[in-house]
Amino acid sequence: GGDGGKKKKEEPAAEKKANLEDRIVNTNPILESYGNAKTIRNDNSSRFGKFIRIYFNQMGKLAGAFIDVYLLEKSRVTYQQPNERGYHIFFQLIEEGPVDNLQEMILMSTDPYDYFFISQGKVKVDSIDDQEELEFTDQAFDTLGFSLEEKQDAFK
């Protein structure tokens, strides 16, 4: 079926801006991808700290937010214990499917064992669907208004 002629012509879907609440909420998949990892006790452990300052207008509506992020565990990039895993983004990047031509763009294979620094510990976690999480991360970049070039830079 058609769209009933209700779409605004001056605002194509690709340029439509998400509301402020959606943009703030969509920082989370990105922060978790780049800052969470599997530890011995928790499959999705935050390895960073974040401080969120939220601003409201006189009517009590959300007016803005500011997020400070502190990466706490830099050593996890190059070393993991046998029952732990590196940051989720490394395992999302080797997933085929959600992001067209991702491996060709970032010059990576889909085999985690090709990369010593991410394959010292666990490479798969039963409770985490890396392909689905990559899709969430990619969609979050879109919702936040990242250009294609900015997204590609973040994945590289």
Side-chain angles (χ1 to χ4, degrees), residues 47-124:
R47 311 315 297 155
F48 68 98
K50 66 182 170 183
F51 177 77
I52 303 174
R53 185 176 294 125
I54 300 174
Y55 300 98
F56 297 92
N57 67 17
Q58 295 81 2
M59 303 298 287
K61 291 197 62 129
L62 185 60
F66 182 78
I67 303 173
D68 279 325
V69 178
Y70 308 93
L71 184 59
L72 300 177
E73 196 176 18
K74 295 176 184 172
S75 62
R76 186 169 294 273
V77 172
T78 58
Y79 178 75
Q80 307 88 45
Q81 296 286 335
N83 286 325
E84 296 189 332
R85 187 170 96 149
Y87 291 104
H88 297 325
I89 190 64
F90 297 127
F91 302 92
Q92 292 175 17
L93 292 174
I94 58 175
E95 289 293 328
E96 286 184 280
V99 179
D100 292 334
N101 303 313
L102 178 62
Q103 283 72 36
E104 293 81 11
M105 178 188 60
I106 62 175
L107 304 175
M108 286 184 74
S109 78
T110 57
D111 183 355
Y113 295 103
D114 285 344
Y115 308 101
F116 174 75
F117 288 118
I118 68 167
S119 62
Q120 298 168 76
K122 296 272 186 199
V123 296
K124 280 286 182 200

